[in-house]
């Protein structure tokens, strides 16, 4: 049940990401469709200029300029909005509205240009409408429904009109463009399925990669960083502090007589103690600190921009919090601490940890449940 819920949650997340990816692609491809449809109308108007009333052409181009401007404004708003607000819920409907408006004007205008019964003009108009349909396939490849609606609005009015004309040539042209449209609509299904699959696979791979890399860096028992991840980040922080002359301190802690806890209460009780101490450490750290389980019952905290006196105070606070920790069955849990600060002789973070380890050894030798400073 738990696994099922997890899978449902993951699938829902991936579905939402794929929908956002499709929206992004739609907007990225839109520059060509917006400009292309207006340029095609301009060219068609120019070609028909001598054959049709100028007023009709100008009226059509005027309306198209308005709808094109609307779409340009929408694109500009989208690309200037913060990326986290570019969600399908916010943008899909707006896009649909501007698309339907401009495709209707285009298709309606094309129908109007058919009116004087001149075959050459009709052929020209149909040719342009077919061209628009082909470009819709690539421009709206992420949204099959948009491709179909824009083909329907641009191509259908003039094709259907031709179908009801008396001349066989006109009927033939209308029928041919309808057959063509049905082929194109069929092809868009394969294209959009392939697109969807590519987006989904990419997102699934990203998801699997993030889980794998999180698992490779995390200590399973406590949820803290594991040794490798701790040293990876600690090295960077060490270099950063050294370069910028910032104080850097480290705390190392080791649970006292942990072997005795394991032997007396069992390994599982020992694991539970480790989890609880991991949680106490987690609560005590700031965002800029790095902490990890170095192995067994040994933990380390690297405190950025922290002088040794502050580090010592934090070690003491943590030591007392651990000593107060109520653990089931197990009583009197304590830990010993070694504290060290970066100095001029240290070459790297390992030497710093080494200093803290020596101090920790002293804390153990002096009777445990205490903090020693290097
Ligand atoms: P000291 O006070 O000197 O540190 O004594 P100690 O007993 O804590 O130290 P020692 O190094 O002798 O024992 C550490 C024990 O921690 C031995 C090992 O079995 C146990 N241990 C290491 N990893 C785990 C773990 O993941 N779970 C549990 N339950 N025990 C572990
Ligand atoms: Mg120990
Ligand atoms: Mg130990």
């Amino acid at each position: 049940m738990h696994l099922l819920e997890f899978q449902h949650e993951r699938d829902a997340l991936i579905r939402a990401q794929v929908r956002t990816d499709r929206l992004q692609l739609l907007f990225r491809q839109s520059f060509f469709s917006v400009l292309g449809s207006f340029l095609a109308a301009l060219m068609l108007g120019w070609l028909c200029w001598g054959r049709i009333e100028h007023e009709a052409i100008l009226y059509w181009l005027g309306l198209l300029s308005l709808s094109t401007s609307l779409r340009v404004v929408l694109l500009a708003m989208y690309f200037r909005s913060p990326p986290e607000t570019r969600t399908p819920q916010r943008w899909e409907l707006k896009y649909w509205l501007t698309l339907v408006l401009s495709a209707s004007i285009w298709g309606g205008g094309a129908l109007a240009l058919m009116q004087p019964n001149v075959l050459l003009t009709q052929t020209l108009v149909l040719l342009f409408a077919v061209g628009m349909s082909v470009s819709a396939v690539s421009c709206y490849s992420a949204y099959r429904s948009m491709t179909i609606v824009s083909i329907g609005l641009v191509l259908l009015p003039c094709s259907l009109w031709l179908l009801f004309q008396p001349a066989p040539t006109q009927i033939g042209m209308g029928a041919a463009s309808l057959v063509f449209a049905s082929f194109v609509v069929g092809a868009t299904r394969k294209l959009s399925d392939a697109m969807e699959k590519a987006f989904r696979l990419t997102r699934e791979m990203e998801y699997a990669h993030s889980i794998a890399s999180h698992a490779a860096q995390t200590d399973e028992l406590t949820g803290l960083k594991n040794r490798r991840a701790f040293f990876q980040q600690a090295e960077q922080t060490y270099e950063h502090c050294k370069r910028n002359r910032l104080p850097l301190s480290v705390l190392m802690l080791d649970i006292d007589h942990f072997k005795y806890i394991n032997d007396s209460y069992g390994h599982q009780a020992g694991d539970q103690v480790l989890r609880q101490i991991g949680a106490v450490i987690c609560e005590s750290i700031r965002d800029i600190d790095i902490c990890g389980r170095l192995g067994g019952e040994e933990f380390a905290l690297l405190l950025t921009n922290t002088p040794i006196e502050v580090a010592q105070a934090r070690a003491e606070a943590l030591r007392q919090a651990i000593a107060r920790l109520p653990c089931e069955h197990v009583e009197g849990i304590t830990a010993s601490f070694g504290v060290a600060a970066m100095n001029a002789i240290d070459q790297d973070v390992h030497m710093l940890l080494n200093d803290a380890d020596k101090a920790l050894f002293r804390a153990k030798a002096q009777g445990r449940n205490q903090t020693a400073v290097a």
Side-chain angles (χ1 to χ4, degrees):
M1 187 61 194
H2 208 69
L3 184 69
L4 257 179
E5 264 173 27
F6 171 75
Q7 278 175 349
H8 280 316
E9 214 169 277
R10 188 204 66 164
D11 289 349
L13 178 78
I14 289 179
R15 263 202 306 280
Q17 285 175 330
V18 166
R19 204 172 147 198
T20 309
D21 290 344
R22 287 168 55 211
L23 182 80
Q24 251 176 39
L25 181 68
L26 175 73
F27 270 93
R28 267 189 278 124
Q29 288 178 329
S30 286
F31 280 112
F32 296 103
S33 63
V34 171
L35 287 180
S37 75
F38 187 65
L39 287 179
L42 271 183
M43 194 176 266
L44 183 58
W46 174 64
L47 287 174
C48 297
W49 191 251
R51 301 183 182 87
I52 297 171
E53 270 180 48
H54 294 176
E55 223 170 66
I57 296 178
L58 290 177
Y59 189 62
W60 180 51
L61 290 180
L63 282 178
L64 263 183
S65 318
L66 281 179
S67 69
T68 304
S69 314
L70 258 183
R71 297 188 79 190
V72 169
V73 169
L74 183 75
L75 289 187
M77 275 165 61
Y78 175 85
F79 285 107
R80 292 174 77 173
S81 68
E84 66 276 8
T85 62
R86 297 179 192 169
T87 57
Q89 290 78 4
R90 200 177 274 226
W91 293 97
E92 262 176 8
L93 183 66
K94 292 185 185 111
Y95 195 96
W96 262 113
L97 289 176
T98 60
L99 170 70
V100 167
L101 179 71
S102 79
S104 311
I105 294 175
W106 220 106
L111 182 64
L113 298 188
M114 291 261 168
Q115 290 306 336
N117 227 340
V118 181
L119 195 61
L120 180 63
T121 313
Q122 290 166 358
T123 313
L124 266 177
V125 172
L126 194 66
L127 190 72
F128 271 75
V130 166
M132 291 279 293
S133 307
V134 173
S135 62
V137 175
S138 69
C139 292
Y140 309 122
S141 55
Y143 282 77
R144 182 167 185 247
S145 45
M146 287 190 188
T147 315
I148 294 173
V149 166
S150 68
I151 290 179
L153 289 172
V154 171
L155 190 59
L156 270 191
C158 44
S159 303
L160 288 176
W161 183 82
L162 281 171
L163 217 53
F164 291 101
Q165 296 313 298
T169 321
Q170 289 171 311
I171 298 171
M173 273 169 31
S177 78
L178 285 182
V179 171
F180 165 81
S182 70
F183 279 140
V184 171
V185 166
T188 54
R189 172 179 293 283
K190 290 187 186 109
L191 187 64
S192 78
D193 285 354
M195 212 83 157
E196 175 109 13
K197 198 169 175 182
F199 281 136
R200 207 182 53 241
L201 284 178
T202 309
R203 286 300 186 175
E204 278 175 359
M205 248 166 57
E206 270 177 22
Y207 191 81
H209 180 259
S210 76
I211 288 196
S213 74
H214 182 256
Q217 296 184 1
T218 309
D219 168 49
E220 206 182 356
L221 194 67
T222 59
L224 299 178
K225 286 187 180 38
N226 61 19
R227 187 184 180 87
R228 183 159 40 117
F230 173 83
F231 276 106
Q232 249 173 20
Q233 273 206 21
E235 272 164 21
Q236 289 171 8
T237 304
Y238 185 91
E239 293 305 326
H240 171 79
C241 290
K242 190 138 209 170
R243 225 184 6 258
N244 297 292
R245 298 173 190 278
L246 295 173
L248 177 70
S249 298
V250 67
L251 310 186
M252 269 179 84
L253 68 120
D254 183 291
I255 306 174
D256 297 328
H257 300 304
F258 192 62
K259 192 170 175 336
Y260 170 78
I261 295 172
N262 268 337
D263 292 346
S264 316
Y265 305 97
H267 210 264
Q268 283 194 340
D271 280 356
Q272 182 55 24
V273 169
L274 286 172
R275 272 190 217 102
Q276 283 185 279
I277 289 186
V280 173
I281 293 175
C282 228
E283 274 169 27
S284 80
I285 58 167
R286 306 165 298 176
D287 284 345
I288 52 169
D289 298 336
I290 300 168
C291 72
R293 181 179 172 208
L294 298 190
E297 19 71 276
E298 201 172 289
F299 299 85
L301 280 88
L302 194 70
L303 310 178
T304 310
N305 203 4
T306 306
I308 188 121
E309 304 79 37
V310 177
Q312 186 180 3
R314 286 189 55 189
E316 265 306 293
L318 197 52
R319 185 186 65 76
Q320 285 166 18
I322 290 173
R324 283 195 304 267
L325 200 62
C327 289
E328 261 180 67
H329 315 302
V330 187
E331 272 177 25
I333 294 165
T334 59
S336 303
F337 286 73
V339 182
M342 181 170 71
N343 59 49
I345 313 162
D346 285 346
Q347 295 295 311
D348 57 24
V349 76
H350 295 275
M351 289 175 97
L352 176 60
L353 266 284
N354 213 20
D355 294 342
D357 198 28
K358 282 184 194 148
L360 173 59
F361 186 77
R362 251 193 304 124
K364 290 275 183 191
Q366 285 166 1
R368 297 180 170 78
N369 189 21
Q370 55 187 277
T371 303
V373 179

